[in-house]
Amino acid sequence: MCHQVSQRVAWMAFSIAFFGSLVASQPIQGQIVVGDSGVGYIDSAVLGTQARVRFDAAYSSRFADRAEFFYAQYGVDGAPELERGIDNHQELATYLEWHRWENFSLFAEIPIRWIDPVANDNAGDLYDIQAGLKASLLESESTLLTAQLRGYFPTGDASKSLSTDHVSLEPGLLSLHRPNHSLTIESELRYWIPIGGSLAPPVGGTNERRNFSGEVLRYGLGAGYKVHEGSRFDVTPVAEIVGWHVFSGVRSDSTGQRNSAVNDAIVNFKIGSRFSIKSNCYDGVSPTSLYVGYGTVLTESNWYSDILRIELRRSF
């Protein structure tokens, strides 16, 4: 079963990448700007002053404290009761990016999250704030390569499952390639490194304790194709594959067992559309866009089974 899923994921990723080589080339005009990025889940390689409001609704999370990537360890630093799962959570996040320097930008993201766990009480409040920087490594009319460093800061209440309760750093590489005017291919490679975190209880009658938090690789590939280009708005369907691989850490279950999360692999398929609204003041560039998308898990392991996302973005 796992082998079949892996093959399917590989073929989907290959198809998205290969699609670009089959589309007839068209002239590319002008510098790549925020409005050229269509993805809804992959971090964009484009540097630009922008504001974004994003709403997520995700469902059926299992082992939600895995590697303390989303939540602190249940029964220790996190929520008091060992958890069978989170039925659903919603999040409203505001993202601001300031492109003050030519090859450098700063950003921050402030999320508010509401959760509906099975065993613990429902909760809603500020989740962990994120902030970081992006630096352009390569830029041309058709290609961007950007380095990103994102920090996660424990500003939420871990006892209510609204925080990981530790700082994390996530260096990454982001890319955007525009082979023609209509097609854009984007990718990300990010490595999440926890600093601190809790310890798992001893197992097997020994005093040995393991780090509960663990390092996680995130990767993604997405493609958007502009199917409609009008005088007032554009429509760009987008398909993305996003995956995570856990290299260390532990996860807990409702029986009190703390099991290794090493080599847990999660892959999601995301599909959506970006609707870009043009303004006469911006010479055909779309400073405002609305993204609507849906994602589902392709693997047995998950962070959530399904997710709905709505995003409003404005560049300046």
Side-chain angles (χ1 to χ4, degrees), residues 59-197:
Y59 303 89
S60 300
S61 175
R62 296 178 57 217
F63 305 118
D65 66 352
R66 177 191 284 112
E68 291 189 316
F69 187 73
F70 280 121
Y71 306 108
Q73 179 185 181
Y74 295 131
V76 180
D77 291 341
E81 300 296 330
L82 293 170
E83 190 59 74
R84 296 191 296 278
I86 292 179
D87 285 340
N88 61 80
H89 82 256
Q90 295 80 42
E91 183 173 287
L92 183 66
T94 301
Y95 173 93
L96 300 172
E97 183 175 344
W98 185 38
H99 187 196
R100 173 64 177 82
W101 303 271
E102 182 178 1
N103 298 314
F104 185 81
S105 69
L106 301 173
F107 65 85
E109 187 164 1
I110 303 173
I112 305 296
R113 180 172 288 200
W114 299 267
I115 63 168
D116 181 11
V118 175
N120 290 283
D121 293 336
N122 292 4
D125 209 333
L126 178 68
Y127 186 63
D128 290 348
I129 290 176
Q130 304 169 32
L133 56 89
K134 294 162 74 172
S136 177
L137 302 179
L138 173 67
E139 181 176 357
S140 70
E141 288 188 353
S142 62
T143 302
L144 294 179
L145 181 63
T146 300
Q148 176 176 274
L149 178 62
R150 183 183 288 265
Y152 299 75
F153 305 96
T155 51
D157 187 343
S159 68
K160 297 179 180 179
S161 289
L162 294 173
S163 175
T164 64
D165 207 41
H166 61 78
V167 173
S168 300
L169 295 178
E170 186 184 62
L173 283 175
L174 315 174
S175 75
L176 183 152
H177 180 57
R178 187 173 57 169
N180 60 59
H181 179 70
S182 298
L183 176 67
T184 303
I185 299 172
E186 302 180 63
S187 68
E188 66 176 5
L189 186 66
R190 296 152 57 183
Y191 198 77
W192 189 80
I193 306 168
I195 300 174

Side-chain angles (χ1 to χ4, degrees), residues 228-310:
H228 173 80
E229 185 172 9
S231 59
R232 300 309 303 268
F233 71 95
D234 300 338
V235 180
T236 306
V238 184
E240 302 169 68
I241 290 177
V242 180
W244 299 261
H245 188 93
V246 181
F247 283 98
S248 57
V250 178
R251 50 180 165 82
S252 57
D253 61 30
S254 59
T255 69
Q257 296 296 314
R258 263 69 172 188
N259 300 309
S260 173
V262 175
N263 292 328
D264 279 6
I266 299 167
V267 179
N268 286 3
F269 177 65
K270 323 280 193 180
I271 191 167
S273 287
R274 186 170 292 277
F275 305 90
S276 301
I277 304 168
K278 294 182 177 179
S279 168
N280 293 333
C281 301
Y282 285 82
D283 299 324
V285 176
S286 303
T288 304
S289 69
L290 174 69
Y291 172 86
V292 180
Y294 165 77
T296 187
V297 67
L298 300 178
T299 51
E300 183 178 355
S301 296
N302 74 18
W303 299 119
Y304 43 78
S305 63
D306 303 273
I307 185 171
L308 301 174
R309 171 164 289 179
I310 300 173

Side-chain angles (χ1 to χ4, degrees), residues 30-38 44 46-48 139 141 144 176 178 285-287 313 315:
Q31 179 184 6
I32 297 174
V33 295
V34 171
D36 293 317
S37 176
S44 172
V46 184
L47 279 66
E139 181 176 357
E141 288 188 353
L144 294 179
L176 183 152
R178 187 173 57 169
V285 176
S286 303
R313 184 180 70 192
S315 60

